[in-house]
Amino acid sequence: MEGIQLRVKNPEEDYVRSKFREYYERNEVRAPEQIEKREWGFGGWERKIEVRHLRISSRDELKGRLVMDAPLFVSYSTAYYEFPDMRPMEKKNWLGADLVFDLDSDHLEAPCKKTHGSKWVCDKCLEKVKEETIKLIEQFLIPDFGFSKKEIEVNFSGNRGYHIHIKNESVRQLGGYARREIVDYLTGTGVDFEAVGFRYEEVGGRREKRLAGPKPSDAGWAGRIARFIKESAVSRKLEEVGVEAKDARKIYNRVGEFTSLIERGNWDAVKIQNKDNFWRGVVGRLGVRLGDRIDQNVTADTTKLIRLPDSLHGESGLVARRVREIDSFDPVKDAVVFGEQPVRIKIKNAPEFRLGEETFGPFRNEERELPERAAVFLICKKEAVLWKS
Amino acid sequence: MELAFCSKYPFSKEAKELVSSAKVSDEFRLVEMAKERVVRAIRDGVIPAMSFELDESQVVLQVASYAMSRMIVSLLGSRYYIGRYSIAEAKRAGRYMEGDSDENVLKVAAELGVGCEVDGEYAVRFEKYLIYAPKSVDYKLVNRKLSNGVVRLRRSEFIRMLEEAVKMKIESELPLKVKDVPENIRKTTEAVRASIPKEPVPTNITKGDFPPCINKLLEDLKTVENLGHTARWTLAVYLLNVGMKVEEVVRVFSTSPDFDEKVTRYQVEHAMKRGYRMPSCANMDSNGLCVANCGVKNPLAYRRGGVGRNTAASQKP
């Protein structure tokens, strides 16, 4: 018969959807600005985006759809379109797009990833991605780009990282090239030795030339590099950025003199033997680690869909919670929405994980009764099935 | 109303007001001037400078010739010609700005929607900077003094940026919808067409075998977007490395609106002689030219049937 699809019944998907539905019935989800100009995408058990090119015209309609469909992933376009449901993309008529950044702990290559893989996150990776988010905001978005705290909205992604939305109309019209330039700025991609002010100057009577460079008071990357070297000299960490040990020692012995030279843009004491190494060491440390080009595309590609804040994430059962105070935000506590009711599940494999104050696992091929929040979490990770005896 | 200002910057509101209120006395001269303006712009890439001891009627004629030029360029009916014409007009305005007062330069800037504060340096909002700055290493945002949302520029850099803004303004306004074209203008347009080089026909290269980054560059060339130096260099080196002849590579570039055959040929020959190696994918990535995750280490490997070619399509729907 037409219209009826034979679908393999998946009790786990049904269970998670029913839990998500309950959540959406009881909780409000903020609608993005100009909801009617956004493209929407919903995801299910197999894929994060199963349908897209959807248009939703109001907050009520959004709520209705969330309750009715109980999607496992809810995404909307950072772009505004005249006709968000038209296809192909060109017909939508792009009107502008929000500026968004995606920081994912998976790309920080924390040492703990080796022990738990990319499916799981631990406190260490969550701490690292939080540090990176704070760096992005406090060392780049506020001082360099001049955004105010009010314009920077931080959301937990619902799984392993954070999404940063810039609420400022001035950035909406930026095209792909301009956004890529912003990404390159944040990651330090393409910082040019000469362009930030390094040059070898002739000094009368000497055969060697003198290295002049940026000052700590300079704006942008020039000043960032100078400040970093000055601080590294004070905290005796110059070797880490590729300064030869014996040169570093000389600098430490006369650190006061050294810092005052740097303040005047005189870099001659820093004998940069291997320029490329030095450069990688310095720029690599200072830039924000925004992942590979594909992740950076969340920022640069003006037609991307991004997780809806306040929506549930189908790989964790956690909510993409808005973060008010990032320092004190604890994603695996503050983004937990499901409760204590015991659920019996069969667990395949899971390392130790924490939800709220409580730690669970590790589990391996065992049957357990766990609180709903842990059961939903493991089922979403596809490491557990419902256990009916 | 400052007459010299109108003549230097005929795209300004002030200039438009001038032509709409004044009457052109010498219609024949006007048509000749417009014809000359378009031909020189498209053929040579330069609109010759005029002397400034002009009386009002001559200024009106000057500005009116800009208006008529736009009509002629529109009638030529090609994005390629529009591109070349806009670049020449922008360069002309840039030359005048270099010698002009700050007051006038800022007036032009404001008209183009670029706010600026001057305190020895020229401070521009980064959003505007990103839209109008030339696409080259020196102008990359990462190498600029960015603080508090503002990029600080030297005067010459600021003017270079405004040139781009002029070009984009003129380009975006064309073609005009011209109805009921007078006979003399139609004839002039055909005379112009006879005096300018033919629009280059894009060489037919089969796209199928190129990696996504190279296809993107080829597309950008065609869609009349001005590619940055690194992008052009990369494309040329790639095409030479896959065995194209210098002549063929030059032809590929000829579709670019700011195409200068002499310069291009020189550069392609230079690249050929130096035997430049194709940058690795990692370098492509840092230059912002990588657009997909194809699983090869060098764009050249893609063509040789390197690993994971199919993933490119699946990763970038």
Side-chain angles (χ1 to χ4, degrees):
Chain A
M1 268 199 295
E2 237 181 306
I4 294 178
Q5 281 181 350
L6 193 67
R7 203 170 131 194
V8 181
K9 187 118 173 79
N10 176 349
E12 281 66 43
E13 179 179 358
D14 286 350
Y15 172 73
V16 174
R17 281 197 194 257
S18 73
K19 286 288 134 195
F20 278 26
R21 179 171 294 116
E22 274 172 32
Y23 175 83
Y24 288 127
E25 272 165 0
R26 290 188 203 140
N27 293 277
E28 287 310 309
V29 170
R30 273 176 305 145
E33 239 177 288
Q34 303 189 46
I35 182 169
E36 75 287 355
K37 295 202 176 97
R38 311 283 191 159
E39 179 201 346
W40 292 79
F42 290 159
W45 198 249
E46 300 300 334
R47 274 177 302 145
K48 286 188 184 172
I49 294 177
E50 283 182 342
V51 280
R52 60 182 291 182
H53 308 290
L54 303 172
R55 179 178 183 274
I56 291 178
S57 54
S58 70
R59 208 179 126 173
D60 287 343
E61 190 187 336
L62 173 63
K63 169 126 191 165
R65 287 208 72 145
L66 293 183
V67 172
M68 196 168 68
D69 300 351
L72 300 184
F73 300 90
V74 186
S75 307
Y76 72 103
S77 63
T78 57
Y80 304 81
Y81 300 104
E82 188 179 2
F83 310 109
D85 47 353
M86 295 266 252
R87 314 175 61 165
M89 292 310 275
E90 300 80 62
K91 282 199 176 160
K92 293 187 195 298
N93 193 20
W94 187 89
L95 303 168
D98 297 332
L99 183 60
V100 177
F101 305 98
D102 178 13
L103 284 162
D104 191 324
S105 68
D106 196 34
H107 298 290
L108 299 178
E109 299 302 332
C112 51
K113 191 180 155 186
K114 283 204 188 76
T115 61
H116 57 64
S118 19
K119 194 177 208 171
W120 306 88
V121 282
C122 67
D123 285 349
K124 277 190 204 120
C125 2
L126 288 171
E127 198 47 47
K128 270 210 113 125
V129 71
K130 187 195 266 190
E131 275 169 25
E132 214 60 22
T133 306
I134 295 173
K135 183 201 241 179
L136 166 69
I137 295 170
E138 294 190 348
Q139 294 181 30
F140 289 90
L141 296 181
I142 293 175
D144 290 9
F145 287 90
F147 296 120
S148 70
K149 271 217 154 103
K150 260 206 325 234
E151 292 168 320
I152 302 169
E153 192 181 299
V154 182
N155 277 285
F156 177 52
S157 71
N159 196 15
R160 294 181 303 212
Y162 294 93
H163 294 157
I164 294 92
H165 298 242
I166 302 296
K167 304 265 156 188
N168 183 320
E169 274 189 45
S170 72
V171 294
R172 279 198 197 151
Q173 288 309 312
L174 296 177
Y177 175 82
R179 288 166 202 252
R180 177 115 272 157
E181 280 286 287
I182 294 176
V183 169
D184 285 349
Y185 189 92
L186 300 171
T187 52
T189 303
V191 182
D192 185 77
F193 202 69
E194 275 97 38
V196 296
F198 282 104
R199 65 208 173 269
Y200 288 95
E201 286 177 342
E202 304 262 359
V203 183
R206 260 172 66 181
R207 242 179 67 205
E208 273 178 48
K209 288 177 181 169
R210 195 181 66 147
L211 179 62
K215 305 184 191 90
S217 57
D218 284 344
W221 270 89
R224 174 171 287 112
I225 289 164
R227 287 191 296 277
F228 179 64
I229 292 301
K230 193 180 133 190
E231 283 155 23
S232 299
V234 173
S235 57
R236 296 177 162 250
K237 283 180 181 160
L238 283 173
E239 294 92 334
E240 288 176 24
V241 297
V243 177
E244 293 277 321
K246 68 174 182 4
D247 295 323
R249 240 174 292 127
K250 275 187 215 156
I251 291 173
Y252 300 153
N253 289 339
R254 294 185 305 172
V255 73
E257 190 188 331
F258 174 78
T259 51
S260 70
L261 283 174
I262 293 285
E263 262 151 36
R264 278 175 277 140
N266 180 340
W267 284 66
D268 212 33
V270 190
K271 296 270 180 286
I272 302 173
Q273 306 289 358
N274 183 335
K275 205 173 94 174
D276 288 343
N277 259 348
F278 170 77
W279 210 229
R280 258 197 299 276
V282 173
V283 175
R285 256 156 230 262
L286 292 174
V288 180
R289 293 162 70 185
L290 277 174
D292 60 16
R293 282 280 148 180
I294 305 294
D295 285 287
Q296 295 178 6
N297 270 344
V298 171
T299 303
D301 182 343
T302 56
T303 61
K304 277 270 179 194
L305 302 184
I306 193 157
R307 188 89 41 244
L308 175 70
D310 294 343
S311 70
L312 294 169
H313 194 294
E315 275 177 354
S316 66
L318 298 173
V319 71
R321 184 83 77 197
R322 178 162 180 192
V323 178
R324 285 173 207 283
E325 266 307 324
I326 187 151
D327 289 316
S328 58
F329 184 78
D330 177 3
V332 287
K333 179 176 164 208
D334 298 330
V336 176
V337 294
F338 295 110
E340 296 298 323
Q341 201 183 342
V343 180
R344 302 208 303 176
I345 51 173
K346 243 185 223 168
I347 307 162
K348 278 182 255 172
N349 200 354
E352 187 182 279
F353 65 94
R354 180 172 69 85
L355 284 177
E357 306 298 342
E358 206 174 337
T359 303
F360 302 90
F363 303 111
R364 204 180 170 87
N365 294 323
E366 48 195 295
E367 288 154 359
R368 285 281 183 145
E369 196 170 74
L370 292 179
E372 188 180 80
R373 59 196 150 97
V376 170
F377 182 76
L378 287 172
I379 292 173
C380 284
K381 293 277 176 206
K382 298 189 177 162
E383 288 293 345
V385 292
L386 295 166
W387 171 37
K388 291 179 192 92
S389 52
Chain B
M1 188 177 296
E2 204 195 321
L3 288 174
F5 185 87
C6 297
S7 159
K8 291 176 195 166
Y9 315 114
F11 47 84
S12 63
K13 262 187 236 117
E14 219 166 303
K16 269 178 200 143
E17 279 163 27
L18 176 74
V19 268
S20 62
S21 61
K23 217 177 133 42
V24 175
S25 47
D26 190 345
E27 184 78 20
F28 179 75
R29 181 96 203 287
L30 169 64
V31 173
E32 283 305 301
M33 278 172 78
K35 184 178 151 196
E36 166 92 358
R37 193 173 186 126
V38 178
V39 169
R40 293 293 298 269
I42 293 175
R43 193 186 61 199
D44 310 334
V46 174
I47 297 168
M50 301 284 163
S51 107
F52 276 112
E53 284 112 53
L54 300 173
D55 62 29
E56 179 165 353
S57 72
Q58 282 172 305
V59 171
V60 171
L61 208 54
Q62 266 275 319
V63 180
S65 83
Y66 165 77
M68 187 166 285
S69 294
R70 297 199 324 148
M71 206 187 284
I72 294 170
V73 172
S74 302
L75 288 169
L76 286 171
S78 131
R79 290 296 327 164
Y80 172 76
Y81 290 139
I82 288 174
R84 273 190 82 88
Y85 172 75
S86 308
I87 291 168
E89 282 288 353
K91 281 191 190 150
R92 173 185 181 274
R95 276 201 313 278
Y96 288 132
M97 282 190 262
E98 276 160 23
D100 214 334
S101 67
D102 266 359
E103 190 195 340
N104 279 350
V105 172
L106 291 184
K107 203 159 121 187
V108 175
E111 189 131 340
L112 296 163
V114 181
C116 174
E117 277 181 32
V118 187
D119 58 352
E121 286 177 305
Y122 294 71
V124 178
R125 287 290 310 170
F126 82 90
E127 297 92 335
K128 297 290 177 189
Y129 179 80
L130 286 179
I131 294 172
Y132 299 124
K135 298 176 173 62
S136 72
V137 178
D138 288 337
Y139 284 89
K140 247 185 114 55
L141 187 65
V142 79
N143 291 319
R144 309 303 316 197
K145 297 179 189 168
L146 172 66
S147 154
N148 233 337
V150 164
V151 182
R152 309 180 76 80
L153 302 169
R154 289 197 296 271
R155 193 175 202 271
S156 58
E157 295 168 331
F158 178 56
I159 288 171
R160 178 70 192 80
M161 184 191 132
L162 291 180
E163 255 179 44
E164 190 63 22
V166 172
K167 185 205 118 195
M168 284 166 73
K169 176 184 164 70
I170 295 177
E171 206 170 22
S172 70
E173 288 168 353
L174 296 178
L176 308 168
K177 289 200 180 84
V178 210
K179 272 192 282 180
D180 309 321
V181 186
E183 190 51 30
N184 66 332
I185 296 193
R186 197 174 291 282
K187 273 191 183 149
T188 309
T189 305
E190 289 323 304
V192 166
R193 201 189 297 281
S195 330
I196 53 176
K198 280 214 175 64
E199 187 179 356
V201 185
T203 35
N204 267 332
I205 23 182
T206 38
K207 276 175 65 176
D209 264 355
F210 295 135
C213 50
I214 299 300
N215 280 335
K216 173 79 169 56
L217 292 175
L218 287 169
E219 245 159 61
D220 287 353
L221 258 191
K222 264 195 222 147
T223 51
V224 205
E225 210 172 295
N226 285 312
L227 286 188
H229 174 74
T230 318
R232 285 168 202 254
W233 179 86
T234 306
L235 182 57
V237 170
Y238 180 88
L239 295 175
L240 290 171
N241 267 291
V242 296
M244 261 196 184
K245 303 247 156 44
V246 169
E247 200 51 44
E248 292 168 325
V249 178
V250 172
R251 266 225 315 276
V252 170
F253 280 95
S254 66
T255 52
S256 180
D258 58 354
F259 175 67
D260 181 323
E261 189 171 341
K262 255 205 290 195
V263 175
T264 309
R265 186 177 308 279
Y266 172 80
Q267 285 176 341
V268 175
E269 274 169 1
H270 185 72
M272 183 79 182
K273 269 187 225 141
R274 295 290 295 266
Y276 285 125
R277 301 244 310 265
M278 187 63 200
S280 67
C281 290
N283 283 326
M284 292 287 286
D285 194 16
S286 8
N287 293 333
L289 300 175
C290 174
V291 296
N293 206 353
C294 346
V296 293
K297 293 255 155 54
N298 188 295
L300 287 170
Y302 188 89
R303 211 180 189 209
R304 288 196 293 267
V307 279
R309 290 181 47 160
N310 298 331
T311 54
S314 55
Q315 298 242 6
K316 285 252 346 182

